[in-house]
Amino acid sequence: VLNAGEAAQRVAVLPTLASRPGISGAIIVLPPESSEQLLDLRAREFPFVVVDPRAPMPRDIAAVSAAHLAGARSITRHLVGLGHRRIGVLAGPHNWLASDGRLAGHTSALADVGVLPDPELVRSGEPTTQFGYHAAGELLDLPQRPTALVGFNDKVAIGALAAAAQRGLRVPEELSVTGFDDIDLAQAS
């Protein structure tokens, strides 16, 4: 299993993967490598599957993804059900498929209740705790702040919680905050 966390993004892994001893296949999570490197790996008949590709994959490459649109739609539908209409979105990078799907799900749930998305309430960036903290801070400092924040992932939501705490906002009494992915830290109370 190859995970493209921050450290893996600085090291080229795919060019040597097929020649490594003891490796007969791979599950590649969020690959930062280009499609050309994946095509080269496939041409060497090395078996692999890509999990949550950041960009569209060539047709012959096996890929699976989370239910980004449906998951984000469900999150926003829940917030709308709680009465929220001014919902800030701490989105992922503009060039990621997951970002597009999650933003589409959010927009769809708002449309169901007749609310147009407000571009002023969307911030995009690398899905880290630091991004969540800074982007949430920008939204929470608006003259008319959002009543809820949707984080691209749980790390972003954790950063948003810190920004809310710094401003003396009580969660969930004064601000709802959601994440996506269900990492262990997100279950801490």
Side-chain angles (χ1 to χ4, degrees):
V1 176
L2 297 176
N3 188 331
E6 291 177 33
Q9 292 179 22
R10 293 185 286 272
V11 178
V13 174
L14 294 186
T16 61
L17 187 60
S19 61
R20 289 186 185 182
I23 298 178
S24 57
I27 298 169
I28 305 169
V29 181
L30 288 169
E33 293 86 0
S34 67
S35 293
E36 291 77 27
Q37 288 181 353
L38 293 169
L39 287 169
D40 182 55
L41 193 60
R42 189 197 67 212
R44 289 187 275 160
E45 298 183 6
F46 183 81
F48 67 94
V49 64
V50 175
V51 177
D52 264 339
R54 295 176 186 204
M57 289 282 97
R59 293 181 63 141
D60 314 16
I61 294 183
V64 295
S65 292
H68 299 293
L69 189 143
R73 181 176 165 80
S74 178
I75 287 168
T76 300
R77 186 181 292 157
H78 175 72
L79 292 172
V80 166
L82 294 173
H84 296 285
R85 297 299 185 269
R86 190 161 172 80
I87 302 172
V89 179
L90 309 173
H94 290 291
N95 60 341
W96 284 15
L97 290 174
S99 299
D100 295 343
R102 292 180 190 185
L103 198 53
H106 172 70
T107 300
S108 174
L110 289 177
D112 287 346
V113 294
V115 175
L116 292 174
D118 184 348
E120 179 187 40
L121 296 178
V122 177
R123 299 293 186 275
S124 297
E126 282 294 317
T128 64
T129 304
Q130 184 177 8
F131 162 70
Y133 175 78
H134 291 293
E138 287 179 15
L139 293 175
L140 295 174
D141 290 341
L142 290 173
Q144 186 182 359
R145 70 170 175 81
T147 61
L149 296 173
V150 173
F152 177 81
N153 64 12
D154 292 338
K155 290 179 184 178
V156 170
I158 290 165
L161 288 170
Q166 183 183 45
R167 286 156 179 78
L169 294 171
R170 295 174 302 134
V171 175
E173 294 85 358
E174 297 174 288
L175 177 71
S176 291
V177 178
T178 69
F180 200 107
D181 292 334
D182 202 23
I183 63 173
D184 290 342
L185 188 56
Q187 297 174 20
S189 39

